[in-house]
Amino acid sequence: MGIVNLENITDVVIASLGKHGEITERQRDIMTALIRHLHAFCKDVNLQHGEFLEGCEYLKRAGQTCDENRQEFILLGDILGVEVLVDMLSNPIDGPESESTVLGPFYRENPPVLPKGASTIQKHYDTEETAYFEGYIRDAAGNGIAGVTLDVWEDAPNGIYENLDPDQPEYNLRGRFETDENGHYAFVAVRPVPYPIPDTETAGELLRYMGHHPYRPGHMHFIISKDGYRQLISQIYDGDSKWLDDDSVFAVKDSLIGKFKPAPKELGTDLHFQFDFVLKADAAAQAVAAE
């Protein structure tokens, strides 16, 4: 099998798996499928050697673009719809639980811990619309869940996330909150605006090669966590935003779209956005906790 030709090269490479070192069945499954699909792709497009080298250089540039503020490979995966596909495979919906969607490349760990109802706004803009976000985190039976952590973040009214904008204070429009004894959460932020994902460097090259635009609709990011429940990574979308039907990273789901309404005077903001989430119980984690 060591002598290769166009007809047997795929089988020769697959046959090499595990010949000189132990691999798990999962590794074998992944590598077998990767080799078959990658070889089939090369044959489908009759890939030429110059194009192969261009692709290698492209991936090299993508790696060089990554830093603490920009994860280029997540961005490329978003543009190709890979992250949202993997998320749907990883978090299937089989009950009343809320749908997840992509994490995206702009999350920052350890945002400030803030009391319920506090504001994430550290810098104001003439164009901003302040908004009071609130809702309940419930279990599948409809009971509010106390002590749930909500990690939230969004772009500023200039369309840029804080970690990409040197003119914004550290952790602007980011915060970590906790639900009260009834499962209620609340915080003040701004109405998120549509924005273009970074379309410079290799992400921009890919968008232009695809003939696609870089824009995303206005949305707020959430990571919702509590021991005993499956972590929910999701986004909620402004139902009046542009690009809902043509998101550059294909992450919009009908169940995650909500509406901004004028806020009652007592809230002290321009707008009000109410959205509830349902968490899926993690049966294994709850069994361990009960022991």
Side-chain angles (χ1 to χ4, degrees), residues 56-75:
C56 291
E57 283 299 310
Y58 176 81
L59 293 175
K60 175 184 174 182
R61 292 197 307 277
Q64 291 169 336
T65 300
C66 295
D67 60 27
E68 62 180 8
N69 293 322
R70 177 164 173 168
Q71 221 302 349
E72 194 75 353
F73 287 102
I74 292 179
L75 195 54

Side-chain angles (χ1 to χ4, degrees), residues 114-121 132 177 186-189:
L114 301 170
K116 180 186 165 189
S119 175
T120 64
I121 304 169
Y132 190 86
F177 299 88
F187 62 93
V188 173

Side-chain angles (χ1 to χ4, degrees), residues 89-289:
L89 293 170
S90 303
N91 299 296
I93 298 297
D94 56 10
E97 67 268 20
S98 297
E99 288 192 282
S100 59
T101 193
V102 300
L103 174 68
F106 307 124
Y107 173 64
R108 289 190 69 183
E109 293 184 345
N110 301 315
V113 176
L114 301 170
K116 180 186 165 189
S119 175
T120 64
I121 304 169
Q122 298 185 47
K123 178 178 179 176
H124 291 278
Y125 294 80
D126 291 340
T127 57
E128 76 184 23
E129 293 179 277
T130 58
Y132 190 86
F133 290 81
E134 67 169 329
Y136 288 87
I137 312 297
R138 306 184 194 276
D139 62 20
N143 304 305
I145 309 172
V148 177
T149 298
L150 295 91
D151 196 335
V152 303
W153 70 103
E154 63 172 325
D155 65 323
N158 64 357
I160 307 175
Y161 286 85
E162 156 272 328
N163 55 337
L164 299 180
D165 186 355
D167 293 329
Q168 291 185 47
E170 284 282 297
Y171 290 99
N172 185 42
L173 298 172
R174 299 175 187 268
R176 193 181 307 166
F177 299 88
E178 192 171 282
T179 58
D180 66 15
E181 66 276 10
N182 299 311
H184 184 254
Y185 74 88
F187 62 93
V188 173
V190 297
R191 185 179 199 167
V193 299
Y195 66 89
I197 60 175
D199 58 354
T200 57
E201 308 296 345
T202 48
E205 290 179 55
L206 180 58
L207 285 167
R208 289 186 288 276
Y209 196 87
M210 293 171 65
H212 201 203
H213 68 81
Y215 291 96
R216 297 218 63 211
H219 59 278
M220 176 70 72
H221 289 268
F222 286 81
I223 298 178
I224 303 175
S225 309
K226 183 178 172 64
D227 289 346
Y229 296 87
R230 186 170 75 184
Q231 184 184 69
L232 177 65
I233 297 174
S234 199
Q235 301 171 25
I236 53 176
Y237 294 89
D238 179 355
D240 294 318
S241 180
K242 192 175 181 182
W243 308 109
L244 280 176
D245 296 326
D246 191 19
D247 180 15
S248 63
V249 305
F250 314 102
V252 179
K253 299 176 180 179
D254 285 341
S255 69
L256 302 178
I257 298 173
K259 272 285 202 184
F260 283 96
K261 298 179 180 179
K265 186 176 180 180
E266 61 268 20
L267 292 181
T269 58
D270 300 313
L271 300 168
H272 179 218
F273 193 99
Q274 187 161 0
F275 200 93
D276 298 341
F277 294 94
V278 177
L279 295 187
K280 181 181 177 65
D282 184 333
Q286 290 192 339
V288 170

